[in-house]
Amino acid sequence: MRRPGILARYWEWLDLPEHTVPLSLSEGDTPLIPMPRLAEALGGGFELFVKYEGLNPTGSFKDRGLAAAVGEAVGRGARTVICASTGNTAAATAAYAARAGVRALVLVPEGKIARGKLAGALAYGAQVVQVRGSFDHALALVREAVAHYPVALVNSINPYRLQGQQTAAFEIVDALGRAPDWLAIPVGNAGNITAYWMGFRAYHRAKGTGLPRLLGVQAAGAAPLVLGHPVENPETVATAIRIGKPARGAEALAAARESGGRIIAVPDEEILAMQRLLAAEGVWVEPASAAGLAGLAAEIRRAALDPRGKTIVAVVTGHGLKDPDAVLRTAGADLPTIEPVLDALTPWL
Ligand code: F0G
């Protein structure tokens, strides 16, 4: 059966203006995949699922938010949508703008966007402009542009982005029958964790489905919410979350605190190790997407979180294909090449 997309499925749950155009690329309805071997590797005795957001149409969770935000912008007459992006928002904005027949202008930090994302944004026909600086510089420029020109901002400062993205929380509760005990999630600009908390609370208010504790996870080189101050030159292999001044930082901290959870940071090596562990159980994600689970592993290891008897969901936010270089740089470096004869193959048999 065709999947109808998040606006059609959850329309009555979303606080969107009447004029919103119901855009859809059949986003959402992503699988909640059990990860028994990974749970065992983390000590066992609990249920672990990943919410595989890489299976959205453009390969990341951003499709949920952009369906709503571009739909709203187009409904009020916008002809150009604009965003700053570390890559995934760029591709999703480009796709939904293409779907709606409007122009997308996306600003990305020069040289710091994974190839699959840049290719995606270009393939969908966006105008891509590279900015000398980080995502934070690009977002500041976007804010300035919308103050002076008739272009619609679709970064997660736009409240409709969060309306769309909270549908992932609805889906998790719909699938489990209640909220999980913990939700582990990567944090960059901090819109997604804010949206999840909004979604879990809305469902809980209406249906008494419970609330998870939130474990938000930043990369150690880009961890303003852990350090308590902006980071001027954020640096991490997880380029998606290479952000030093998160726009929704205050809300994210409040959400984590209210939930009885926290926001922590993990080093790049642990993010990459978790990316490999996930792939070893069949789920390939981009580096940033492994951050939530890397944080969960760290918390369990230092006995700061007792998983036993719990149901834990980790949001894996983007597909591994988004960032092929992250794998090829290491695993692809020394591939053997042989003549097409059996003798040459025997060392591997
Ligand atoms: N994971 C991935 C794969 C992302 O692309 C992002 C954000 C995040 C996690 C963090 O989500 O910003 O809501 O806290 N990417 C944005 C972008 C910044 O431009 O694509 P967040």
Side-chain angles (χ1 to χ4, degrees):
M1 199 178 78
R2 231 186 119 261
R3 301 182 303 164
I6 56 127
L7 297 183
R9 283 176 65 214
Y10 290 109
W11 184 259
E12 66 278 18
W13 289 91
L14 307 182
D15 188 6
L16 294 170
E18 278 303 314
H19 65 242
T20 304
V21 173
L23 282 182
S24 169
L25 288 166
S26 294
E27 64 291 325
D29 198 16
T30 56
L32 201 54
I33 304 178
M35 301 295 284
R37 264 167 38 211
L38 182 54
E40 242 1 90
L42 301 186
F46 68 105
E47 262 194 317
L48 179 63
F49 298 90
V50 293
K51 178 71 170 161
Y52 196 14
E53 289 288 275
L55 292 192
N56 277 296
T58 80
S60 86
F61 71 96
K62 303 288 182 177
D63 293 343
R64 300 175 184 275
L66 271 311
V70 176
E72 189 280 330
V74 169
R76 75 178 132 89
R79 303 300 306 155
T80 299
V81 292
I82 186 171
C83 68
S85 180
T86 56
N88 283 322
T89 296
T93 297
Y96 285 85
R99 191 73 177 169
V102 300
R103 214 174 131 244
L105 176 57
V106 306
L107 278 58
V108 300
E110 182 192 20
K112 295 291 185 180
I113 144 170
R115 276 203 297 172
K117 304 175 188 181
L118 183 56
L122 293 169
Y124 296 120
Q127 174 63 61
V128 178
V129 177
Q130 304 194 83
V131 175
R132 288 194 192 97
S134 68
F135 167 86
D136 305 299
H137 295 104
L139 183 57
L141 185 53
V142 164
R143 287 182 194 256
E144 215 182 322
V146 298
H148 291 94
Y149 291 88
V151 291
L153 179 152
V154 293
N155 278 107
S156 59
I157 309 160
N158 178 325
Y160 308 122
R161 279 280 304 278
L162 303 194
Q163 289 298 319
Q165 282 172 210
Q166 68 175 327
T167 58
F170 299 160
E171 289 176 12
I172 290 172
V173 177
D174 286 343
L176 294 177
R178 64 175 184 88
D181 297 298
W182 279 94
L183 184 89
I185 180 170
V187 175
N189 211 26
N192 210 29
I193 189 172
T194 304
Y196 268 89
W197 187 235
M198 184 189 282
F200 283 122
R201 275 184 311 164
Y203 251 37
H204 182 54
R205 269 195 308 274
K207 309 185 185 201
T209 42
L211 293 169
R213 296 171 79 177
L214 301 178
L215 182 68
V217 185
Q218 302 203 288
L225 301 182
V226 179
L227 298 170
H229 59 76
V231 173
E232 283 309 320
N233 297 303
E235 211 40 86
T236 168
V237 66
T239 53
I241 53 174
R242 186 176 167 272
I243 293 176
K245 296 173 190 165
R248 295 274 183 184
E251 288 103 315
L253 286 167
R257 198 173 43 239
E258 271 175 48
S259 78
R262 54 199 165 267
I263 297 183
I264 63 165
V266 289
D268 279 2
E269 309 79 72
E270 293 179 22
I271 291 175
L272 292 176
M274 184 53 72
Q275 184 192 28
R276 287 190 292 271
L277 267 180
L278 278 163
E281 202 167 352
V283 178
W284 181 30
V285 303
E286 65 168 289
S289 302
L293 274 162
L296 177 70
E299 288 288 274
I300 293 174
R301 198 171 57 236
R302 54 184 170 244
L305 189 159
D306 182 1
R308 281 170 304 174
K310 304 273 181 0
T311 298
I312 301 182
V313 171
V315 184
V316 292
T317 43
H319 202 286
L321 285 166
K322 289 277 191 171
D323 192 356
D325 296 322
V327 171
L328 294 174
R329 263 194 304 271
T330 48
D334 264 324
L335 296 185
T337 306
I338 60 167
E339 296 303 323
V341 295
L342 187 58
D343 270 1
L345 186 62
T346 46
W348 291 279
L349 290 170

